[in-house]
Short mmCIF file of all heavy atoms in Angstrom, two decimals:
data_model
loop_
_atom_site.label_atom_id
_atom_site.label_comp_id
_atom_site.label_asym_id
_atom_site.label_seq_id
_atom_site.Cartn_x
_atom_site.Cartn_y
_atom_site.Cartn_z
N GLU A 620 1.86 21.66 11.67
CA GLU A 620 2.83 20.66 12.13
C GLU A 620 4.11 21.34 12.62
O GLU A 620 4.65 20.99 13.67
CB GLU A 620 3.17 19.69 10.98
CG GLU A 620 2.02 18.80 10.55
CD GLU A 620 1.95 17.50 11.34
OE1 GLU A 620 2.75 17.33 12.28
OE2 GLU A 620 1.09 16.66 11.02
N ILE A 621 4.58 22.32 11.86
CA ILE A 621 5.82 23.02 12.22
C ILE A 621 5.58 23.92 13.42
O ILE A 621 6.41 23.99 14.35
CB ILE A 621 6.33 23.84 11.02
CG1 ILE A 621 6.68 22.90 9.86
CG2 ILE A 621 7.55 24.68 11.42
CD1 ILE A 621 7.01 23.61 8.57
N GLU A 622 4.46 24.62 13.45
CA GLU A 622 4.17 25.54 14.55
C GLU A 622 3.98 24.81 15.87
O GLU A 622 4.31 25.35 16.94
CB GLU A 622 2.93 26.38 14.22
CG GLU A 622 3.13 27.31 13.03
CD GLU A 622 1.87 28.11 12.73
OE1 GLU A 622 1.53 28.99 13.55
OE2 GLU A 622 1.23 27.86 11.69
N LEU A 623 3.45 23.60 15.82
CA LEU A 623 3.20 22.86 17.06
C LEU A 623 4.47 22.37 17.74
O LEU A 623 4.48 22.14 18.95
CB LEU A 623 2.29 21.65 16.76
CG LEU A 623 0.80 21.94 16.55
CD1 LEU A 623 0.10 20.69 16.01
CD2 LEU A 623 0.15 22.39 17.85
N VAL A 624 5.53 22.21 16.98
CA VAL A 624 6.76 21.61 17.51
C VAL A 624 7.24 22.31 18.78
O VAL A 624 7.65 21.66 19.76
CB VAL A 624 7.87 21.61 16.44
CG1 VAL A 624 9.22 21.25 17.05
CG2 VAL A 624 7.52 20.64 15.31
N SER A 625 7.20 23.62 18.80
CA SER A 625 7.76 24.37 19.94
C SER A 625 6.73 24.73 20.99
O SER A 625 7.04 25.43 21.96
CB SER A 625 8.42 25.66 19.42
OG SER A 625 7.47 26.46 18.75
N MET A 626 5.50 24.25 20.85
CA MET A 626 4.43 24.65 21.77
C MET A 626 4.34 23.75 23.00
O MET A 626 4.68 22.56 22.93
CB MET A 626 3.08 24.65 21.03
CG MET A 626 2.97 25.76 20.02
SD MET A 626 1.31 25.85 19.29
CE MET A 626 1.49 27.31 18.27
N VAL A 627 3.86 24.31 24.08
CA VAL A 627 3.65 23.56 25.31
C VAL A 627 2.47 22.59 25.12
O VAL A 627 1.47 22.92 24.50
CB VAL A 627 3.35 24.52 26.48
CG1 VAL A 627 3.01 23.74 27.74
CG2 VAL A 627 4.52 25.46 26.70
N ALA A 628 2.63 21.37 25.65
CA ALA A 628 1.57 20.34 25.55
C ALA A 628 1.12 20.17 24.10
O ALA A 628 -0.07 20.10 23.81
CB ALA A 628 0.40 20.70 26.45
N ARG A 629 2.07 20.07 23.20
CA ARG A 629 1.76 20.07 21.77
C ARG A 629 0.92 18.87 21.35
O ARG A 629 0.18 18.94 20.38
CB ARG A 629 3.06 20.10 20.96
CG ARG A 629 3.97 18.91 21.21
CD ARG A 629 5.31 19.07 20.56
NE ARG A 629 6.13 17.87 20.76
CZ ARG A 629 7.40 17.78 20.36
NH1 ARG A 629 7.99 18.81 19.76
NH2 ARG A 629 8.07 16.67 20.56
N GLU A 630 1.03 17.74 22.06
CA GLU A 630 0.28 16.54 21.68
C GLU A 630 -1.14 16.55 22.21
O GLU A 630 -1.97 15.73 21.81
CB GLU A 630 0.98 15.26 22.19
CG GLU A 630 2.39 15.06 21.67
CD GLU A 630 3.42 15.61 22.66
OE1 GLU A 630 3.00 16.32 23.62
OE2 GLU A 630 4.62 15.35 22.47
N GLN A 631 -1.45 17.46 23.15
CA GLN A 631 -2.72 17.39 23.86
C GLN A 631 -3.65 18.57 23.58
O GLN A 631 -4.71 18.72 24.21
CB GLN A 631 -2.45 17.29 25.37
CG GLN A 631 -1.86 15.95 25.73
CD GLN A 631 -0.89 16.03 26.89
OE1 GLN A 631 -0.45 17.10 27.26
NE2 GLN A 631 -0.58 14.88 27.46
N ARG A 632 -3.30 19.40 22.63
CA ARG A 632 -4.08 20.63 22.41
C ARG A 632 -5.47 20.33 21.87
O ARG A 632 -6.46 20.96 22.26
CB ARG A 632 -3.29 21.57 21.50
CG ARG A 632 -1.96 22.00 22.12
CD ARG A 632 -1.12 22.81 21.17
NE ARG A 632 -1.57 24.19 21.06
CZ ARG A 632 -1.24 25.18 21.88
NH1 ARG A 632 -0.46 24.93 22.91
NH2 ARG A 632 -1.68 26.40 21.68
#
Side-chain angles (χ1 to χ4, degrees):
E620 293 271 4
I621 297 172
E622 294 180 70
L623 283 170
V624 169
S625 59
M626 290 186 176
V627 175
R629 60 189 184 185
E630 301 95 349
Q631 290 147 344
R632 298 174 78 84

